[in-house]
Amino acid sequence: MQKDNTSNVESHCKLSSETPTLIDRFPTKPSQEHHEQFMRQVIDVLLKEAVFQGTSNDSLVIEWMEPESLMALLGEELPKNPESDENLIKLIKNVVRYSVKTGHPHFINQLFSSLDPYGLVAQWVTDSLNPSVYTYEVAPVFTLLEHKLLREMRRYVGFPDGSGDGVFCPGGSMANTYGIQCARHHAMPDLKEKGTFASRRLVVLTSKDAHYSIKKACFLLGIGSSNLYLVDVDSDGRMNLAHLREEIQRALREGARPFMVSATAGTTVLGSTDPLDGIADLCQEFGLWMHVDAAWGGGALMSTKHRDILKGIERADSVTWNPHKLLGVPQQCSTFLTRHANLLLEANSASASYLFQKDKFYDPKWDVGDKYLQCGRRADVLKFWLMWQAKGSLGLEKHVDTLFENTAYFTSHIRDRDGFKLVLEEPPFVNVCFWYIPPSLRNSQRDEDYHEKLHRIAPKIKERMIKKGSMMITYQPLRNLPNFFRLVLQSSGVNAKDMEFFAEEIERLGCDL
């Protein structure tokens, strides 16, 4: 055994002697002597290849590789010995090259896109400082910025003078989970200690077009997916108030405890907003918590021209709002807002004495971490704060107004174009949903297998565009409708030429199908 140890030491010393710059890498402290040149080279790569080339119309949205080939390129095994700076830069270049360029004007695939320069710089700042926002002593700047931003967002929602409380969340799904959890605690505070065994069967109500995170939150919180009552929607995807009333009454007849309605402002596919005032009336009548999932639609509150889309949101008990969606803040920046000032702390406090001491030399009210479900947490606030500083409220409003102007332009552009058919004649938000019907199907609408054939068109076009790398747009079915495209106009950097390209490229890729 001693012999083996000696051999290992000798081997280690030999390696140290031959490659001192590599073996000395294990310390986690940056060294100007050893790291500055490498870091500047990486920043040059990022600026040139990810930021500027990656957002240029002359570049591909994606350079497609099959998973097995890409895995081989990236390396299937992690190294035992350190790599050289030169090899690290090659690896970084490959990461950039084969990643999707979500800041490209032709990336219209999700409810996020673009690459805001101020948000990006803010992200670099927070990563350089590596904070975790749970106590004022370790994150003084970011604690105060969160307080300021969350209050201002509550003002835009319509809570009186921005009163209430809020938290930054790792995505809208977690924000919606906070909504259900706070609603449950508000109705039945004893459950925090006694658990759901101390309650009647609990029921949450939401629409059939609501985000799937509501369902996930129900089984995560022990409510159960079968106790999520799904309410019918109209042809535009808006919650049916008559059916909502019926489902509330059904739950009561069954002896269950309905305690919350989750409305949606900006559904994922159609972009529809539920009748918020009507839902608020029913919640008031039956004593239910009203949550609004405005993860997607919340950004419209920044626009005096379009904020009426969310009329009634000011009556909600809680709101999910993701600035990383409509407002273009880099991933991720999500918030949960509530009008109830102390509820988050009451619902979530575990009073960890090693972190949230009450005898600190400053006011412990600034130690916000105890009201969060997380402990360690990124400072996502700086991205939104710096963008707001750089653009002002007027700049954010102009961004939102531009998105709606682009939506009107693209809708008009395809409305009378051969082969294009809108799912909704007037899109309710900045989601434009449509079918592309190739020439082979244009006179076959009455055929028995027409919908089946049309259902196969969008996936095939998507495959071709991804392998070509020219653009990225998503598709999906909805209820009894065959697959259709959903074009999301979330980047104010998209212009008329880009939107015309979208239609032309879909035609090029699908005209022979």
Side-chain angles (χ1 to χ4, degrees):
M1 182 66 69
Q2 182 64 40
K3 183 179 180 181
D4 289 342
N5 284 342
T6 303
S7 176
N8 287 341
V9 171
E10 290 173 351
S11 174
H12 178 85
C13 292
K14 183 178 180 181
L15 181 61
S16 299
S17 174
E18 292 178 354
T19 56
T21 58
L22 296 185
I23 200 64
D24 288 345
R25 281 193 173 171
F26 72 88
T28 54
K29 181 182 178 181
S31 159
Q32 193 167 6
E33 178 185 356
H34 293 119
H35 301 123
E36 182 175 9
Q37 182 179 0
F38 167 71
M39 294 174 82
R40 290 187 181 280
Q41 287 177 308
V42 172
I43 290 171
D44 286 344
V45 169
L46 294 178
L47 285 174
K48 179 183 177 182
E49 300 181 21
V51 176
F52 296 118
Q53 288 182 5
T55 59
S56 169
N57 285 35
D58 296 329
S59 299
L60 297 176
V61 175
I62 179 175
E63 188 170 339
W64 175 256
M65 288 187 74
E66 295 294 336
E68 295 77 11
S69 300
L70 184 56
M71 180 67 79
L73 179 72
L74 297 173
E76 296 192 17
E77 301 294 333
L78 292 171
K80 179 179 180 181
N81 295 313
E83 294 281 1
S84 67
D85 285 355
E86 182 181 6
N87 283 345
L88 290 177
I89 290 171
K90 287 180 181 178
L91 290 171
I92 291 168
K93 281 175 169 282
N94 280 336
V95 169
V96 172
R97 178 177 178 180
Y98 294 105
S99 290
V100 176
K101 309 306 186 294
T102 61
H104 196 291
H106 299 167
F107 176 83
I108 44 173
N109 198 70
Q110 314 294 151
L111 301 185
F112 74 92
S113 62
S114 72
L115 181 63
D116 188 89
Y118 305 104
L120 176 62
V121 167
Q123 194 150 263
W124 288 346
V125 171
T126 54
D127 283 352
S128 298
L129 295 170
N130 193 32
S132 185
V133 191
Y134 36 63
T135 62
Y136 181 81
E137 63 184 288
V138 298
V141 173
F142 303 118
T143 297
L144 297 183
L145 292 185
E146 285 190 347
H147 177 77
K148 185 178 183 64
L149 262 289
L150 291 168
R151 176 174 285 275
E152 194 63 21
M153 292 177 75
R154 293 194 299 270
R155 283 196 183 100
Y156 272 90
V157 168
F159 296 163
D161 195 32
S163 60
D165 203 353
V167 292
F168 279 81
C169 306
S173 294
M174 184 55 68
N176 285 335
T177 302
Y178 271 108
I180 298 177
Q181 185 234 10
C182 284
R184 185 175 68 179
H185 184 81
H186 181 72
M188 294 151 285
D190 289 349
L191 266 60
K192 180 181 179 181
E193 180 180 347
K194 298 178 180 177
T196 53
F197 294 105
S199 169
R200 306 202 309 265
R201 180 169 61 90
L202 303 178
V203 169
V204 173
L205 301 105
T206 196
S207 87
K208 290 181 176 178
D209 282 5
H211 193 263
Y212 67 85
S213 61
I214 304 298
K215 182 177 183 180
K216 286 198 170 191
C218 283
F219 56 68
L220 175 67
L221 293 171
I223 293 166
S225 57
S226 64
N227 294 315
L228 176 65
Y229 287 16
L230 298 179
V231 180
D232 291 341
V233 295
D234 62 20
S235 58
D236 290 337
R238 292 160 44 93
M239 189 185 290
N240 182 306
L241 292 176
H243 191 233
L244 174 59
R245 175 183 289 276
E246 290 171 7
E247 289 296 272
I248 294 171
Q249 292 172 332
R250 175 168 75 92
L252 292 170
R253 285 195 309 271
E254 293 169 347
R257 175 76 182 271
F259 68 96
M260 174 191 184
V261 177
S262 180
T264 308
T267 56
T268 304
V269 177
L270 296 178
S272 301
T273 294
D274 291 332
L276 301 181
D277 267 324
I279 293 170
D281 290 341
L282 285 171
C283 286
Q284 186 173 344
E285 178 182 345
F286 288 97
L288 308 181
W289 180 285
M290 178 182 173
H291 175 71
V292 179
D293 176 6
W296 176 222
L301 293 168
M302 304 293 296
S303 167
T304 54
K305 189 183 297 184
H306 299 290
R307 65 172 289 118
D308 278 352
I309 293 172
L310 284 79
K311 185 179 180 298
I313 195 172
E314 71 281 357
R315 300 174 63 187
D317 290 285
S318 59
V319 172
T320 291
W321 178 359
N322 289 7
H324 74 235
K325 291 189 174 178
L326 198 72
L327 296 180
V329 178
Q331 288 274 17
Q332 59 191 357
C333 186
S334 304
T335 63
F336 169 78
L337 311 169
T338 178
R339 65 168 61 251
H340 302 276
N342 298 312
L343 188 63
L344 278 161
L345 187 62
E346 293 170 4
N348 297 323
S349 174
S351 301
S353 59
Y354 63 87
L355 195 58
F356 305 114
Q357 302 93 336
K358 301 303 181 186
D359 54 355
K360 291 184 177 180
F361 61 92
Y362 59 86
D363 189 341
K365 76 176 185 181
W366 295 108
D367 289 351
V368 297
D370 206 18
K371 68 183 178 183
Y372 281 80
L373 293 171
Q374 295 169 262
C375 182
R377 188 167 55 83
R378 292 174 58 88
D380 291 325
V381 64
L382 192 69
K383 294 172 285 191
F384 193 18
W385 178 81
L386 192 62
M387 285 176 61
W388 206 321
Q389 295 287 329
K391 303 166 190 283
S393 301
L394 292 178
L396 295 172
E397 180 173 18
K398 178 61 177 174
H399 163 80
V400 173
D401 290 346
T402 299
L403 303 182
F404 280 91
E405 290 164 8
N406 285 350
T407 301
Y409 181 89
F410 184 76
T411 302
S412 175
H413 182 69
I414 67 168
R415 178 174 280 119
D416 299 318
R417 190 182 185 99
D418 286 346
F420 288 81
K421 179 177 174 55
L422 290 161
V423 176
L424 297 178
E425 279 298 311
E426 296 296 337
F429 205 59
V430 297
N431 314 35
V432 185
C433 298
F434 61 92
W435 290 279
Y436 172 69
I437 306 168
S440 65
L441 293 180
R442 289 179 195 169
N443 296 315
S444 307
Q445 286 89 338
R446 296 188 178 184
D447 291 357
E448 190 174 314
D449 59 351
Y450 173 75
H451 278 169
E452 182 182 340
K453 290 179 177 178
L454 182 59
H455 189 70
R456 294 196 292 264
I457 298 299
K460 189 61 181 177
I461 293 175
K462 176 73 178 274
E463 178 187 357
R464 290 177 173 183
M465 74 171 61
I466 293 294
K467 290 182 176 178
K468 183 179 177 182
S470 57
M471 62 181 284
M472 190 178 288
I473 182 175
T474 192
Y475 68 86
Q476 63 284 302
L478 184 66
R479 294 185 286 280
N480 62 339
L481 298 175
N483 280 324
F484 55 85
F485 289 111
R486 181 199 63 180
L487 185 141
V488 182
L489 290 161
Q490 185 269 349
S491 170
S492 50
V494 169
N495 57 33
K497 185 177 179 181
D498 294 319
M499 291 184 279
E500 291 162 9
F501 170 82
F502 299 151
E504 292 164 1
E505 183 69 355
I506 288 171
E507 282 181 332
R508 277 191 290 270
L509 295 169
C511 63
D512 64 329
L513 296 175

